[in-house]
Amino acid sequence: MSPRSALSLLLALGLVTGCGTGASEPVQGRWWNWAYSGDERTSPVRDTSGRFCARDQPRDVWFLAGTFGGTARRTCAVPQERPIVFPLVNLVAPVVQCRAFMTAAKGGAVLDGQPVTSEHLEDDVVVNRRRSHACGLWVRLHPLSPGTHTLTLQGSSGDFHTNVTYTLVVTPASRA
C-alpha cells in the first residue's frame, strides 16, 4: 500500500471513530473549546468574512462555525489533509434542555451542490475546564481535494436560525 493510500485509509478510519482526532475528548467538546478560545473580536462564530477561521485550529481536524443566529459568508483557506467538522446547530446545556432543543433541531449542508450527511451527537464534555453536556447536529467531512469548494450549512431549533456559506480554498498538502 502506498504511503498516500495508507494515510487516506487512516483518515477515513479516524472519521468513523472520532474525526481522526486521536483525542479522548468528544469532537463536540474540542469544537466548543476552539470556538471559545479567543475573545469576542476574533471569535470564529462572530466572524462575518472568514478572516479568523484559521485561528487556534487543532493539527488533526479543521473546525468550521455557524453563527450565533443569522447569516454569514466566509472564505477560508483549509489544509488539504484535514478532515472538516462543524455543527449545523448545537447547544451546551443540561440534558433536559438538550433533549428539547434536539427535538426541534433541523439542518443540512451542501458541498459543491451535493447534500452531505449529518449526525446527532450528544456527549458530556469539558468546556473551558467545566463539565457540561453538549448536543447538536454535526457534519464530518473527509479531507477535500485541492481547489475551491462551496459549502453551505444551515440549522435551526425553535426561534434560532443560522445559515453560512463558505468558500473553502483547499491548499495542497505541504511536501516534506
Side-chain angles (χ1 to χ4, degrees), residues 91-154:
L91 179 69
V92 171
V95 173
V96 173
Q97 283 181 289
C98 265
R99 299 253 162 88
F101 179 82
M102 292 307 296
T103 298
K106 295 183 273 187
V110 176
L111 175 64
D112 296 333
Q114 299 298 313
V116 295
T117 303
S118 64
E119 61 185 311
H120 173 158
L121 294 179
E122 193 165 332
D123 296 297
D124 288 325
V125 298
V126 176
V127 179
N128 291 335
R129 292 182 269 186
R130 202 170 158 194
R131 183 146 296 283
S132 303
H133 190 76
C135 56
L137 294 176
W138 288 81
V139 174
R140 306 180 204 213
L141 299 175
H142 292 283
L144 301 177
S145 60
T148 301
H149 300 272
T150 302
L151 173 68
T152 302
L153 61 101
Q154 57 185 13

Side-chain angles (χ1 to χ4, degrees), residues 43-53 64-77 110 148-154 162-169:
S43 166
V45 183
R46 291 193 189 285
D47 184 5
T48 57
S49 67
R51 69 182 180 154
F52 299 117
C53 68
L64 297 175
T67 66
F68 287 118
T71 62
R73 294 187 70 79
R74 300 178 181 136
T75 299
C76 295
V110 176
T148 301
H149 300 272
T150 302
L151 173 68
T152 302
L153 61 101
Q154 57 185 13
T162 184
N163 186 319
V164 181
T165 300
Y166 277 98
T167 299
L168 301 175
V169 181

